[in-house]
Amino acid sequence: MRVYVPLTLSGLAEAHGKGELGPGPITAYAVTPGLREWYVSDDVEELEYAALSRAAAASLRMIAGRPDAARRRVVVAVDVRDQDATADPGQALDASSLGEVRIAAAVPLTRAAAVHADADDAVDDVTAAAAALGAADQGDADAQFTVDGAEDRELLWYGVQEIPGIIG
């Protein structure tokens, strides 16, 4: 199963240094029954993109909670055994946790298929979105517009061998 692990840039640097994502439990996003039902599609690529987008939103939340974090969203796509990624069946009713899974133990970085990260020119939009996230959560339409602006930016695809260049 492909799962998408949200990180910050410093989290990616730490994982690269340790050679693994973790320790567990790790929160990730995947194509779960709840995500399938919400997205209403049978197209696997569309569903995977939806899971990646959920992870990117979780990365933005991590950034918002850490004022010292670099303002670039990061998601690592990792392949794990199906039984290693568990979804809480009750979360299917909670829109904020659609696609969320837990991985109990650390995952070797050798299982990573790719890294997705914001381009350098996304920093201003991600910075504004991180600052507006709290107000958006409270229903502020202007703040939500700002958050949506960052979420509309596509994450770039990088091969795992490119991690040293990403973390600079």
Side-chain angles (χ1 to χ4, degrees), residues 134-161:
D137 287 346
Q138 298 299 315
D140 183 313
D142 290 335
Q144 186 61 54
F145 182 78
T146 301
V147 171
D148 291 345
E151 290 180 351
D152 286 344
R153 285 187 161 272
E154 296 289 330
L155 297 180
L156 301 178
W157 181 96
Y158 295 93
V160 177
Q161 71 278 11

Side-chain angles (χ1 to χ4, degrees), residues 33-119:
L35 185 72
R36 277 184 194 278
E37 186 176 322
W38 171 75
Y39 200 75
V40 193
S41 175
D42 289 330
D43 185 315
V44 174
E45 286 185 17
E46 287 181 12
L47 291 165
E48 296 260 340
Y49 182 78
L52 170 64
S53 297
R54 303 292 293 179
S59 176
L60 179 63
R61 289 195 174 279
M62 291 174 167
I63 291 166
R66 297 182 182 131
D68 60 331
R71 293 338 211 194
R72 287 177 63 198
R73 297 168 298 163
V74 176
V75 176
V76 178
V78 181
D79 294 320
V80 299
R81 297 179 311 165
D82 288 355
Q83 63 266 30
D84 290 341
T86 57
D88 179 353
Q91 287 180 335
L93 304 175
D94 180 6
S96 68
S97 60
L98 282 169
E100 190 174 293
V101 296
R102 297 268 186 277
I103 303 166
V107 178
L109 208 50
T110 56
R111 289 184 144 176
V115 176
H116 303 272
D118 278 312

